[in-house]
Amino acid sequence: MFSKILIANRGEIAVRIIRACRELNIRTVAVYSEADKDSLHVELADEAVCIGPGPAQESYLNIPQIISAAEITDSDAIHPGYGFLAENAHFAEICESCGIKFIGPKPENIKLMGDKLEARKLAKKCGVPLVPGSLEKINEKEKALEIAHQIGYPVMLKAVAGGGGRGMRVCHTDMRLVSSFLTCQAEAESSFGDKSLYIEKFIENPRHIEVQIAADKYGNVISLYERECSIQRRHQKLIEEAPSPIIDTKLRKKLIEWATKLAKACKYENVGTLEFIMDKEQNLYFIEMNTRIQVEHPVTEQITDVDLVKLQILIAAGEKLSLKQEDIPLRGHAIEFRINCEDPEKNFVPTPGLIEFLNLPGGKGVRVDTAIYQGYRVPPFYDSLLAKLICYGKDRKEALKIAKRALSEFMIHPLKTTISLHQRIVSDPDFCKGNYDTSFLSKFYREEVYSFE
Ligand code: ADP
Ligand code: ADP
Ligand code: MG
């Protein structure tokens, strides 16, 4: 087992990883930017190394600085968390060549599944259904038009290297496709350093269903069931739950079978997530794989009683999966709410600043994963996620009751956050019935606060 792990991340996920290490008796090293010197992850880790100024490019994405920090602290592994370097195959390779274990999949896995077209090809080979569309990169708008005519409008232009909900455009007509092509290419180039695009059929108002898997280096693969993440804004998740209200035992079996097949086909190692979308007729289509721990992993932990971050560390240390598929429980229901410092009434403009008063909810069925505290000043440089509220009940109805209660206790004064929006969502009759899809929030906004946009 590792004796010391460096955490190449910040915020709630850095704290989450420190917790797992403590329970495994592993020492921890935090890295931090100058803007994060008063952060909780720095306070909680056994050691901390400053790796540069506030902007992520100069600190949390600065590979030479992070590797030096690992070397001077004699760390034997690096946990990348999510975002930043978590899906950077080059970083994983450098760790390997420096004799530092990267806690995540092998560089080949990251490279293969990080290329959304390669992932689509593999899905096709494995007989996993995928959204109709191209299997090759599209470099000219003429080719884009040809494929759009084959599959029929509406279509979606997507970046081959895309992530974080960026680099996507829905097109309903030839004219829109032509005009979007160059802007989408430019956005892909600036966000991901790769302008390659591909086209998918745009599935109208789908539900987002994803499957959590874990695989060890001996070829054993298990699935920790599905999560539903259809409450999204601009293709980014806001609320996630497990299990999905729409997936029955039969569909779940199918999902597990597909996810396991794909993981085995690429000799995957560590935890990962296969994302699907589901249309009105309950057809499921593979969209992509995330080769890392996911923001919403706690809902899976609540219903399966598996600590996914500890599992990542054990797998990276070469341990064999001790759980068999048939032994993994699925009990109760968990819902996660992303509490972002964004003003939902002002088009989600970021609202960083000083937290003068903080009250975290508690009580039965409530888990809060966060790195904020009273007196903390939220820096303007990073992701706006302040906290994750995870509510667990014996069934969805109970989880929702707990959520309403917990949201009413949650106070982060004077910052504007997404708490107010979540309160409205948990009172919505359709949401309460589990009757929703990825268009839920846009409808919601059109009805009442659309005028703020
Ligand atoms: P999840 O699938 O775990 O919900 P998100 O899409 O919310 O993940 O992304 C988690 C974090 O990782 C966000 O900060 C997001 O901007 C970032 N992220 C995800 N994919 C990429 C990527 N390919 N490139 C850069 N950042 C990414
Ligand atoms: P990212 O890598 O940024 O997470 P994904 O491919 O996972 O991108 O898509 C993010 C979200 O965008 C999905 O959850 C879904 O809401 C929407 N989406 C993606 N592809 C399609 C599609 N073909 N049709 C309809 N919606 C889609
Ligand atoms: Mg995705």
Side-chain angles (χ1 to χ4, degrees), residues 9 61 81-88 114 116 161-166 191-192 208 210 227 229 235-238 240 273 275 288 290 292-297 336 338 382-385 388:
N9 216 302
L61 291 169
Y82 56 70
F84 296 129
L85 299 169
E87 290 173 278
N88 185 319
K116 289 176 153 187
R166 279 165 301 150
S191 305
F192 315 111
H208 174 113
E210 59 185 35
R227 294 182 284 260
C229 320
H235 313 303
Q236 278 181 304
K237 302 160 186 165
L238 257 180
E240 302 97 343
T273 298
E275 298 191 329
E288 67 153 347
N290 292 324
R292 56 173 162 89
I293 191 82
Q294 208 102 350
V295 175
E296 58 274 20
H297 74 276
E336 175 183 277
R338 295 197 193 188
Y382 315 105
D383 193 290
S384 58
L385 185 70
K388 303 188 303 202

Side-chain angles (χ1 to χ4, degrees), residues 59-68 85 88 90-91 94:
S59 46
Y60 298 104
L61 291 169
N62 186 335
I63 296 178
Q65 283 285 33
I66 292 170
I67 297 288
S68 315
L85 299 169
N88 185 319
H90 173 64
F91 178 63
I94 292 180

Side-chain angles (χ1 to χ4, degrees), residues 1 5 7 12-28 44 79 103 293 297 301 307-314 367 369:
M1 185 39 72
I5 292 177
I7 298 141
E12 68 85 19
I13 193 63
V15 171
R16 170 73 189 83
I17 298 162
I18 293 170
R19 288 184 172 137
C21 291
R22 282 261 147 93
E23 291 178 20
L24 289 169
N25 263 323
I26 299 170
R27 290 180 61 79
T28 52
L44 291 180
H79 196 307
I103 302 176
I293 191 82
H297 74 276
E301 297 188 322
D307 184 315
L308 285 167
V309 178
K310 274 196 207 167
L311 188 60
Q312 283 194 290
I313 297 170
L314 296 175
R367 165 176 173 182
D369 279 20

